Structure formats: C-alpha cells, structure tokens
Amino acid sequence: MFVTDLLSQDDKVSDLFEELVEAHAESLIQVAYSYVKNKQMAEDIVQDVFIKAFEKQSQFRGDSSYKTYLYKMTINRSYDYLRSWSYRNHLLTNKFSNLFGVQKSVDDFVVLEDERAVIGNEVLKLAPKYREVIILFYFKELKVEEIANILDCSMNTVKTRLSRARNMLKERLGGKLDE
C-alpha cells in the first residue's frame, strides 16, 4: 500500500501530498540509497520520511526550504537504519553466506563500465561523512549553505569534507577525476 492511499479521504490534501511525493521521491530515494546501498530499503526509508513529514507538518519551522527538511529527515532515517539491529543482522548474514560460498546478490555482480558509473561506485565507497557531501553537492546540486543546514554543521566543515572527498576520489581513480 502506498502512502497516498492513506490520504484518500481528503482529495485536496491527497493531491498536495502526491505532488510533494512526485517532486521529491526520486532524489530522496537516491540519497537514501547512497547510505543503505539497498534499493528496497531506500524506498522504505523515503516512504517513512513522507509519512513522518505529513504527520509532523505543523512542526516544520520554515528555517530552511521544505526540500532541505526532507533531505535532512532522509539522511537521519538512513543513519537510524544503519544503526539498527536488522541492518547489522543483514551484514552478518551476508558475511556468513560469503564464507560458505553462497552467491552474492545481483547488485554485487553488476559490472560498472562507463566512467560515470566508476566514479559513482567510488563515491559509494567513501565514508558516510564524505559521501553525503559529494552526493548533495554534485549529484543533488545543493549549495554549501544548504548542505550545512541539512547536516547541522558549519559551511567550513562542508567545504573541508568536500575537499577531502575530492582528494580521496582523485587518489582512488588515479588522478582521472576532473574538477
């Protein structure tokens, strides 16, 4: 059941909510995926974010854009999932499966051939604090100030993380990364 099914009683609210989902769902799923690296879980996280955003719409203070608010909720929910027992249990199960020769998931066997996919793969290998600034800056095209608001840190911290992440990517890609 999709979230908008829950709102069928009030068509006006439902239409507004559906517009919000259509405008932001894809980019939020991409952000969540960059953390959890599982498409189904990323979709679940974003659905939870939309439900919470709808339930707590009165708590939105307007200090930033609603898009920034949704990004921040998605990142926080992704971190919650990464700290959860179900995620740790999933990792442990995969390690045991690999130990005993059970095949990995299809996602693990995808061969990345074009340059953009290789860069994306290397970005996903970065530590979360570096990965998130790269994704938000380059892929989501947010400004440093917006990223600082989302991550609850200073603009200088964002700039430092961006610089370090770029350097790590340059090193990993053998200097082939264009600025």
Side-chain angles (χ1 to χ4, degrees):
M1 180 167 86
F2 195 67
V3 177
T4 52
D5 294 340
L6 300 172
L7 305 172
S8 61
Q9 303 91 1
D10 185 358
D11 287 339
K12 197 175 219 177
V13 172
S14 180
D15 289 344
L16 290 173
F17 189 77
E18 196 168 328
E19 285 177 27
L20 180 70
V21 170
E22 286 178 19
H24 300 292
E26 187 176 323
S27 61
L28 293 176
I29 289 170
Q30 291 171 350
V31 168
Y33 181 82
S34 72
Y35 286 88
V36 299
K37 299 178 185 171
N38 178 306
K39 186 162 174 54
Q40 182 63 45
M41 185 49 61
E43 290 171 351
D44 290 347
I45 287 171
V46 171
Q47 186 166 340
D48 287 349
V49 165
F50 280 122
I51 290 170
K52 289 248 191 291
F54 181 75
E55 290 173 348
K56 298 182 180 202
Q57 61 189 342
S58 63
Q59 293 178 357
F60 177 64
R61 296 186 310 243
D63 295 340
S64 61
S65 70
Y66 205 70
K67 176 182 174 182
T68 302
Y69 177 67
L70 291 173
Y71 272 88
K72 187 168 187 158
M73 287 178 68
T74 302
I75 289 169
N76 289 339
R77 181 65 185 95
S78 297
Y79 275 133
D80 290 344
Y81 171 72
L82 292 174
R83 287 189 295 261
S84 72
W85 168 248
S86 61
Y87 173 71
R88 291 179 186 180
N89 189 27
H90 174 74
L91 284 179
L92 188 61
T93 303
N94 282 347
K95 285 183 183 182
F96 278 121
S97 297
N98 293 339
L99 258 175
F100 297 112
V102 176
Q103 285 189 342
K104 295 181 181 181
S105 69
V106 175
D107 292 339
D108 294 333
F109 288 105
V110 173
V111 177
L112 303 175
E113 294 182 7
D114 69 336
E115 184 178 296
R116 190 170 174 197
V118 170
I119 292 170
N121 191 37
E122 289 302 321
V123 168
L124 290 174
K125 290 179 183 176
L126 292 172
K129 70 181 183 179
Y130 298 118
R131 183 183 334 138
E132 64 194 2
V133 294
I134 290 289
I135 289 170
L136 293 173
F137 187 78
Y138 288 107
F139 295 96
K140 298 302 166 198
E141 299 178 356
L142 297 178
K143 296 176 184 165
V144 171
E145 184 179 353
E146 291 175 308
I147 297 170
N149 285 334
I150 290 170
L151 300 178
D152 246 352
C153 62
S154 71
M155 287 179 26
N156 285 335
T157 300
V158 172
K159 291 176 186 176
T160 300
R161 288 179 184 175
L162 269 171
S163 176
R164 289 180 182 166
R166 283 186 203 121
N167 289 336
M168 286 181 221
L169 289 171
K170 281 181 189 177
E171 187 178 301
R172 289 178 183 183
L173 295 167
K176 296 178 186 175
L177 182 64
D178 292 301
E179 286 291 329

